[in-house]
């Protein structure tokens, strides 16, 4: 494998389906067979330093065993922009391949994965326009912005919750700059060569049980203390990091808006909803080859099928 330009492997699947573990297993097996492999993170929350427990970030030992890219690259106060992540990820992938290393893209939502591997252009940005809408948000609230977006672009407004001020500001900025708010993702067309997409699927009951166990483990590992430390650094006021699953629920507990039990239960239910949404998006991509997550020979099956995959 190593003498040719390696392909890009992409691992798709819902939260807690086992993508990170499979990525490490595959990378180690590939390396043992003479093909160096490294993991490229596609999860927008793993980029934040200090957000470890709640994001199920790969451990120091796991990162020592297999090189991981795009983890711990931002402080919490920095916003996570999909366009910036797209550029960084593509650069890392190209650098890996130019070194003869097979990159394995793992983790994250369908939006981030699609943005990295497919033709996917982002509308422009104008700091002045955005600042003006942010000022309106601060003065009049998100419901006013939602009503304004509904007047200008009703279809776009229907897809955004009235309380989501950040998305409303961005939608109004895009509409002002382009005259429209894109209603749907573009048709999937690879922007990168030799992409091989792998999906891992798991029955809902089994996934729900995994999510419950993961959240309980987060609490046991000191998740509340992690959020407390980040709250002291201003997590609640951050544009992106403070909205992460689990973190916003614990912040509500620390404010006294929820009990600790409610924060834990709401983290479980929100994660389950997100996992279903994730899986629904991935299921629409007919280019993905699916495998059962609970197959004890999962990595063997993926590697056996990989013998049939050709290079660019």
């Amino acid at each position: 494998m190593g003498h040719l330009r390696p392909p890009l492997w992409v691992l798709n699947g819902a939260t807690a389906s086992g993508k990170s573990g499979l990525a490490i297993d595959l990378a180690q097996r590939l390396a043992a067979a003479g093909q160096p492999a490294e993991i490229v993170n596609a999860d927008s929350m793993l980029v934040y330093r200090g957000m470890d427990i709640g994001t199920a970030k790969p451990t120091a030992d796991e990162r020592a065993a297999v090189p991981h890219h795009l983890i711990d690259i931002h402080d919490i106060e920095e916003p996570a922009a999909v366009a910036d992540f797209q550029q960084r990820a593509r650069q890392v992938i190209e650098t890996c391949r130019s070194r003869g290393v097979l990159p394995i893209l793992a983790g994250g939502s369908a939006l981030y994965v699609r943005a990295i591997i497919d033709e996917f252009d982002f509308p422009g940005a104008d700091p002045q326009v955005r600042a003006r809408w942010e000022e309106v948000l601060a003065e009049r609230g998100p419901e006013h912005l939602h009503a304004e977006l509904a007047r200008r672009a009703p279809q776009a407004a229907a897809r955004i919750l009235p309380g989501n001020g950040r998305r409303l500001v961005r939608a109004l900025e895009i509409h002002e700059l382009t005259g429209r708010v894109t209603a749907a993702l573009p048709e999937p067309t690879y922007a990168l060569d030799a992409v091989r997409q792998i999906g891992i699927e798991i029955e809902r009951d089994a996934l729900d049980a995994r999510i419950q166990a993961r959240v309980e483990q987060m609490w046991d590992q000191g998740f509340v203390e992690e959020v407390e430390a980040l709250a002291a650094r201003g997590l609640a006021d951050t544009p992106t990091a403070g909205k992460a699953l689990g973190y916003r629920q614990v912040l509500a507990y620390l404010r006294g808006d929820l009990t600790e039990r409610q924060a834990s239960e709401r983290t479980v239910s929100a994660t389950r909803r997100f996992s279903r949404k994730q899986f629904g998006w991935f299921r629409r991509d007919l280019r993905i080859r699916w495998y059962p997550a609970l197959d004890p020979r999962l990595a063997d099956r993926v590697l056996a099928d990989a013998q049939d995959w050709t290079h660019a």
Side-chain angles (χ1 to χ4, degrees):
M1 262 180 114
H3 65 287
L4 294 173
R5 176 177 165 86
L8 165 65
W9 288 12
V10 183
L11 298 191
N12 301 289
T15 291
S17 60
K19 297 186 296 292
S20 298
L22 177 60
I24 291 168
D25 194 2
L26 290 172
Q28 290 179 315
R29 290 176 184 235
L30 287 166
Q35 171 58 67
E38 299 177 6
I39 296 170
V40 182
N41 164 53
D43 187 313
S44 63
M45 293 302 151
L46 292 187
V47 302
Y48 288 115
R49 289 182 279 270
M51 293 177 64
D52 301 332
I53 297 171
T55 61
K57 190 174 287 179
T59 65
D61 287 345
E62 289 171 333
R63 292 160 70 178
V66 177
H68 285 66
H69 299 273
L70 300 182
I71 292 177
D72 289 345
I73 59 173
H74 287 314
D75 290 323
I76 58 170
E77 62 270 17
E78 297 179 73
V82 187
D84 174 65
F85 201 94
Q86 175 196 58
Q87 185 176 3
R88 285 172 175 264
R90 287 181 176 179
Q91 188 172 27
V92 167
I93 289 165
E94 180 54 36
T95 300
C96 285
R97 297 173 80 175
S98 68
R99 291 188 286 118
V101 171
L102 187 151
I104 300 175
L105 186 69
S109 68
L111 173 63
Y112 275 74
V113 173
R114 287 278 310 276
I116 293 164
I117 67 175
D118 282 335
E119 298 287 352
F120 204 105
D121 295 323
F122 294 91
D126 186 317
Q128 287 183 314
V129 172
R130 183 175 302 187
R132 180 153 38 78
W133 284 116
E134 286 176 343
E135 190 175 329
V136 175
L137 172 65
E139 290 179 356
R140 306 192 64 176
E143 289 77 12
H144 174 80
L145 289 190
H146 193 268
E148 181 63 26
L149 183 63
R151 187 178 68 79
R152 298 176 179 220
Q155 286 186 321
R159 299 194 312 275
I160 301 176
L161 292 173
N164 194 332
R166 181 166 166 264
R167 283 193 65 194
L168 290 164
V169 165
R170 180 60 177 144
L172 285 161
E173 177 192 15
I174 292 169
H175 190 273
E176 186 164 332
L177 293 174
T178 67
R180 60 188 175 83
V181 180
T182 304
L185 295 178
E187 286 299 311
T189 304
Y190 287 136
L192 307 179
D193 62 296
V195 178
R196 310 289 175 250
Q197 290 206 73
I198 300 154
I200 48 179
E201 55 188 342
I202 182 170
E203 292 200 6
R204 179 172 292 187
D205 288 348
L207 183 60
D208 283 351
R210 278 194 180 190
I211 289 170
Q212 179 74 44
R214 172 182 280 191
V215 172
E216 289 174 3
Q217 183 182 38
M218 284 161 48
W219 249 259
D220 290 343
Q221 290 174 335
F223 183 43
V224 172
E225 290 76 14
E226 175 175 285
V227 181
E228 279 183 310
L230 293 167
R233 292 167 44 197
L235 179 66
D237 299 321
T238 60
T240 307
K243 313 301 186 292
L245 277 173
Y247 290 87
R248 64 174 178 262
Q249 284 80 11
V250 175
L251 284 170
Y253 158 60
L254 295 175
R255 286 195 307 268
D257 296 340
L258 299 175
T259 66
E260 186 172 359
R261 181 181 179 83
Q262 286 173 326
S264 172
E265 290 173 347
R266 291 193 185 187
T267 298
V268 170
S269 58
T271 305
R272 286 174 174 168
R273 285 195 302 274
F274 178 64
S275 72
R276 290 170 186 22
K277 185 176 177 183
Q278 271 185 309
F279 189 68
W281 275 109
F282 286 128
R283 261 301 184 196
R284 296 185 187 115
D285 192 337
L286 301 180
R287 303 167 300 177
I288 298 173
R289 186 181 297 194
W290 291 95
Y291 298 85
L294 301 182
D295 184 346
R297 294 179 53 82
L298 173 60
D300 292 330
R301 287 187 58 190
V302 172
L303 290 169
D305 286 348
Q307 301 303 314
D308 301 329
W309 295 343
T310 57
H311 292 78

